Amino acid sequence: MFSYNKFLEFPVKVSKPNPRLANVVITQYGGPNGELGASLRYLSQRYTMPDEVSKGLLTDIGTEELAHLEIVGSLVAQLSKNAPPKEWSEMGSWEYYSDNGASVFPQSSQGSPFNAASIAVTGDPLTNLYEDLAAEQKARAVYDNILKLSDDPDVNEVIKFLRQREVVHFQRFGEAILTHSNRFGGYIACVKMQFIDIENYKFLLEILLLINVRTHVCI
């Protein structure tokens, strides 16, 4: 059971409308790597987790993603507010306006409506947790892209907060993997080099370091 607090996790106060930027930010509302999909993914995955701690983790993060959905929705609403139809047209966002007006609709920035196919849920806890690691990194990458496109400091402060929370969630999921995977003994990870691509290997080491694992390479 959820309890609702009538304030945002991070304040949103946009000083001027910007329909084009609204059309970019909306992807984190209902896009393939957005907050709606993340919240439903984690709140659905929790039922197959093996213990109360991991169930609680997915419940906590899934609930926070609902809070982030509200933050992103508030951003889109404020960026859209009082912008006349002509301005939507001039800024290249007429397609969104023609379908939805100055509203908040779950879709990607390319106009694809939210699709539950983006929610990956299996009966295997480790598979779910690895999927969650990837999901948090993809969301972080999208926030990075939005920051590159946005020149609005009011928007950027909010996006930076959301991006940082994706990093924290990534770390929490990594800790859960360490707890449940038989391949890890405590905080010692034995990484077998089964590929030649050194960039892939470096990427794997970076992931392990991000979740505070002391690595030992086995050849």
Side-chain angles (χ1 to χ4, degrees):
M1 181 176 184
F2 303 117
S3 106
Y4 179 70
N5 296 316
K6 296 183 179 180
F7 56 85
L8 297 176
E9 186 181 7
F10 191 91
V12 176
K13 189 174 182 181
V14 177
S15 57
K16 59 182 180 179
N18 186 333
R20 179 175 291 176
L21 188 53
N23 201 30
V24 170
V25 175
I26 195 68
T27 198
Q28 282 303 88
Y29 192 81
N33 304 308
E35 305 293 355
L36 177 57
S39 61
L40 293 175
R41 178 187 302 111
Y42 305 148
L43 292 176
S44 299
Q45 288 177 350
R46 61 183 170 153
Y47 294 106
T48 55
M49 296 308 290
D51 58 66
E52 294 303 315
V53 173
S54 53
K55 287 179 183 177
L57 172 66
L58 284 163
T59 302
D60 288 345
I61 296 180
T63 304
E64 186 179 4
E65 301 291 16
L66 287 173
H68 294 172
L69 181 71
E70 190 174 28
I71 291 174
V72 175
S74 299
L75 268 179
V76 173
Q78 292 186 29
L79 287 168
S80 305
K81 187 176 181 180
N82 298 326
K86 181 180 180 181
E87 186 171 339
W88 285 81
S89 178
E90 290 174 348
M91 300 195 74
S93 298
W94 59 82
E95 296 95 340
Y96 183 89
Y97 186 87
S98 66
D99 283 338
N100 310 300
S103 66
V104 181
F105 179 77
Q107 68 168 49
S108 72
S109 57
Q110 299 179 60
S112 299
F114 174 74
N115 189 330
S118 63
I119 304 173
V121 180
T122 74
D124 182 76
L126 278 177
T127 300
N128 284 338
L129 289 170
Y130 279 114
E131 169 67 26
D132 299 342
L133 282 180
E136 293 297 323
Q137 285 296 290
K138 287 187 283 187
R140 189 267 311 156
V142 173
Y143 282 127
D144 282 342
N145 293 338
I146 293 174
L147 286 171
K148 294 172 185 176
L149 294 170
S150 171
D151 60 357
D152 188 324
D154 296 332
V155 173
N156 291 351
E157 287 305 307
V158 180
I159 297 300
K160 288 176 183 178
F161 168 79
L162 293 169
R163 180 195 181 281
Q164 180 57 32
R165 294 308 299 166
E166 305 295 350
V167 174
V168 172
H169 293 170
F170 177 85
Q171 294 170 330
R172 296 289 306 279
F173 285 132
E175 293 165 2
I177 287 175
L178 292 179
T179 300
H180 296 295
S181 175
N182 292 327
R183 289 184 301 161
F184 297 105
Y187 283 91
I188 307 297
C190 180
V191 183
K192 293 185 178 180
M193 292 191 63
Q194 298 177 343
F195 39 76
I196 299 174
D197 188 339
I198 191 64
E199 290 303 318
N200 285 342
Y201 176 60
K202 288 167 61 179
F203 178 67
L204 177 59
L205 289 181
E206 288 171 4
I207 288 179
L208 293 171
L209 289 172
L210 276 173
I211 56 178
N212 299 318
V213 182
R214 290 184 288 114
T215 60
H216 172 67
V217 180
C218 300
I219 302 177

